[in-house]
Amino acid sequence: MLDIKWIRENPELLDQALAKRGAEPLSQSLITLDEQRRAVVQSMQDMQSRRNSASKEIGAAMAQKDMALAEELKAEVASLKDTLPAAEEDERRLSAELTDALSRIPNIPLDDVPVGADEHDNVVARVVGQKPGWNHKAIEHPEIGEALGYMDFDRAAKLSGARFTVLTGPLARLERALGQFMIDLHTSEHGYTEVSSPLMVRDEAMYGTGQLPKFSEELFKTTDGRWLIPTAEVTLTNLVSGEILDQEKLPLRFTALTPSFRSEAGSAGRDTRGMLRQHQFWKCELVSITDAQSSLAEHERMTACAEEVLKRLDLHFRTMTLCTGDMGFGAAKTYDLEVWLPGQNTFREISSCSVCGDFQGRRMNARYRNKDGKGTTFVHTLNGSGTAVGRCLIAVMENYLNEDGSITVPDVLLPYMGGLTRIEKAS
């Protein structure tokens, strides 16, 4: 969430930032709403001040036996008492409207974010690795998995409908191995603390990371009013919600391997084949809580941690700097990691690493005590996939495909595979 004080002082900057994101200017409507709220607050303060002073004047009038003045003052106090509740209701209504309006405004892009309309305007930051050198035909993962006998979309549809997958046998184990490898790498070498957190959260948690109120249709809600997490970013970031941290203890780095749940609203007709876009999928999430000075350096560090997963799997990928029109709602800058999929003959997103500044910290009211002892500052937050396990499985299947249709297990995953080095067709 943005600071209304900053908006009042920098209306042109807000509208310029919104224009970069392809949105309409909002500064004047927000400032007008805030002025209305401030006017009501000032009126309330004036009435309360007058009520207090009139109450004192009543005593003085009665001491001087001026009963007419005392009765006049009593009538004025009574009138103020009757008027104040309506003013208080106006203040609550205007404050709620302003908060709701502010909560729907996306974050301000950093100055070095390329300006553009959509993914076609993203910029390549670096390319790592090479395409597979084999000469046999590339095949997409649904055909590979079904031919092996370990990937079943029909049974998944029977159980749950579209956008679900059933994996069995060694392919299920390969997916589990990928998740274990990622969480082990980030905890043992990258300094992240593993967290096992709830998969269902309250409204406040979704609001804190920016999923609510704007994106409710993209989420799944339980019958008792909780939400299934679309990413462990929600729980990991909200661990510090409402807290005041010591600056010396920052950064905090959390990671979790969890299922994620997304309704995929608005994605009808997109990626309907296979398991690229699912309602339920595993993801290894990375979250950092930092001070204002170190968040940009932490963004580069987090992205390097996600890249290391793909490097150790020897997968060809590129890192993209997203343009203003393709960034997520809460991001100030985002790097996307796109892995090469031979079967599709294209790069596909497998990780997104974003720095959010104090956008989420302000929504969560999460702060840190400054080292100099002069007050508190909203924390900066970062989140990234380290990486999406299902998409990583797809990349391994398509890049480690052998001519006979089997899949070679990447060396880095062998310790997790119980001696299995190759996944072959079910007998």
Side-chain angles (χ1 to χ4, degrees), residues 14 19-20 110-111 142-143 181 189 214 223 228 249 262 264 274 278 303 315 341 347 354 372 382 405 415 418:
L14 172 63
K20 290 178 181 180
L110 296 178
D111 291 339
E143 286 79 12
F181 158 66
E189 297 188 34
K214 191 170 184 178
T223 55
L228 298 180
K249 295 182 179 179
R262 299 184 184 179
E264 294 299 339
Q278 301 273 275
T303 304
L315 293 171
L341 299 183
F347 288 98
S354 299
D372 59 11
L382 303 95

Side-chain angles (χ1 to χ4, degrees), residues 70-263:
E71 291 302 317
E72 182 181 330
L73 290 169
K74 286 179 182 180
E76 182 182 2
V77 169
S79 175
L80 289 170
K81 286 182 178 179
D82 290 339
T83 305
L84 267 171
E88 291 169 349
E89 178 57 33
D90 284 344
E91 191 279 329
R92 284 192 292 269
R93 176 181 57 81
L94 291 168
S95 292
E97 288 181 15
L98 180 61
T99 299
D100 182 68
L102 290 171
S103 71
R104 296 174 186 273
I105 301 174
N107 204 352
I108 302 297
L110 296 178
D111 291 339
D112 63 343
V113 173
V115 177
D118 53 34
E119 67 270 14
H120 298 101
D121 296 318
N122 296 338
V123 176
V124 178
R126 50 192 166 271
V127 179
V128 178
Q130 302 279 336
K131 297 178 183 179
W134 33 254
N135 296 317
H136 58 76
K137 180 183 177 182
I139 304 175
E140 290 193 58
H141 72 279
E143 286 79 12
I144 298 172
E146 289 180 324
L148 288 170
Y150 303 122
M151 182 177 284
D152 198 321
F153 300 102
D154 292 337
R155 282 179 171 159
K158 179 178 67 175
L159 295 171
S160 307
R163 298 192 187 275
F164 290 91
T165 308
V166 169
L167 301 177
T168 57
L171 210 52
R173 180 158 192 162
L174 183 62
E175 181 187 48
R176 175 161 56 92
L178 282 164
Q180 288 180 311
F181 158 66
M182 293 173 194
I183 201 79
D184 285 351
L185 175 64
H186 296 314
T187 55
S188 64
E189 297 188 34
H190 294 159
Y192 288 85
T193 298
E194 184 173 1
V195 177
S196 177
S197 57
L199 302 180
M200 297 182 292
V201 296
R202 300 165 62 184
D203 290 1
E204 293 85 349
M206 287 292 194
Y207 179 86
T209 45
Q211 281 77 21
L212 290 180
K214 191 170 184 178
F215 302 103
S216 60
E217 67 174 12
E218 299 177 13
L219 307 169
F220 287 112
K221 194 171 188 178
T222 65
T223 55
D224 66 354
R226 294 181 176 88
W227 302 87
L228 298 180
I229 61 168
T231 163
E233 170 200 345
V234 176
T235 49
L236 298 183
T237 308
N238 275 282
L239 289 175
V240 301
S241 175
E243 297 187 9
I244 299 178
L245 310 170
D246 291 328
Q247 187 174 8
E248 290 82 357
K249 295 182 179 179
L250 300 178
L252 301 176
R253 298 185 177 110
F254 303 123
T255 184
L257 177 63
T258 69
S260 300
F261 305 91
R262 299 184 184 179
S263 72

Side-chain angles (χ1 to χ4, degrees), residues 175 178-179 182 186 257-258 260 262 275-276 281-285 306 309-310 313 337 339 349-352 384-395:
E175 181 187 48
L178 282 164
M182 293 173 194
H186 296 314
L257 177 63
T258 69
S260 300
R262 299 184 184 179
M275 54 182 294
L276 264 167
F281 57 94
W282 286 89
K283 185 155 69 79
C284 185
E285 185 70 8
V309 172
L310 303 182
L313 288 166
L337 276 57
V339 69
E349 178 202 338
I350 195 170
S351 171
S352 196
S385 304
T387 64
V389 178
R391 292 196 173 194
C392 203
L393 174 66
I394 292 170

Side-chain angles (χ1 to χ4, degrees), residues 41-57 76-77 80 84:
V41 170
Q42 184 61 55
S43 175
M44 287 170 53
Q45 291 173 345
D46 292 344
M47 285 189 285
Q48 289 165 345
S49 176
R50 178 55 192 155
R51 184 184 63 183
N52 293 338
S53 61
S55 296
K56 293 178 181 178
E57 291 172 15
E76 182 182 2
V77 169
L80 289 170
L84 267 171

